[in-house]
Amino acid sequence: VEKKIKSLFASGNTALYDAVAEAHQYLKKNPQPEKIAAIVVLSDGQDTSSQLKLEELLKQVQLTETTSILIFPVGYGEDADKTVLENLAKATKTKVYQGTVQDIEKVLLDISTFF
């Protein structure tokens, strides 16, 4: 896992809000009632190129009686925007995790306890 993570390089803009919205819409359109629907977001919380605004995203992902898709934000990097990640977690009643190369497996294992 560490080798794979170290091979990733940021190379430009990040459309965090658009990516989360797209994943959420996919799960919403393809329900599997026998399974828990969730999105794990590894991010520094910074969005530099989404068309969607944070407020719009939060409205879309909010838990409702008919939509129960969970979002588990994992803050990655020392400069992670915790406010954005906390807002995502709050919208789906989860929590923000802090991840590093050294403990990402532990973080993902902890998240798996929700399933």
Side-chain angles (χ1 to χ4, degrees):
V1 171
E2 186 174 340
K3 186 177 179 180
K4 285 184 180 184
I5 291 172
K6 285 184 176 182
S7 71
L8 299 174
F9 294 98
S11 61
N13 294 328
T14 303
L16 172 63
Y17 308 154
D18 290 349
V20 172
E22 187 173 330
H24 189 271
Q25 286 300 318
Y26 175 84
L27 291 173
K28 193 173 180 179
K29 289 179 182 178
N30 298 285
Q32 296 184 8
E34 69 281 359
K35 296 183 180 180
I36 296 171
I39 302 165
V40 177
V41 179
L42 273 69
S43 175
D44 63 3
Q46 298 176 19
D47 184 291
T48 59
S49 64
S50 285
Q51 293 182 9
L52 194 64
K53 301 292 181 212
L54 178 60
E55 296 76 25
E56 297 167 348
L57 173 62
L58 295 175
K59 287 178 188 175
Q60 285 183 20
V61 301
Q62 191 82 29
L63 292 182
T64 66
E65 289 182 22
T66 59
T67 305
S68 58
I69 300 166
L70 303 175
I71 298 175
F72 295 93
V74 179
Y76 223 77
E78 293 178 19
D79 62 342
D81 187 337
K82 292 180 182 171
T83 303
V84 168
L85 300 175
E86 287 170 357
N87 282 323
L88 283 171
K90 184 178 177 183
T92 63
K93 299 183 179 167
T94 63
K95 70 177 193 175
V96 175
Y97 293 83
Q98 187 62 37
T100 65
V101 172
Q102 292 76 26
D103 71 356
I104 195 63
E105 287 185 63
K106 180 182 176 295
V107 169
L108 295 174
L109 182 61
D110 192 36
I111 290 171
S112 74
T113 63
F114 281 85
F115 308 98

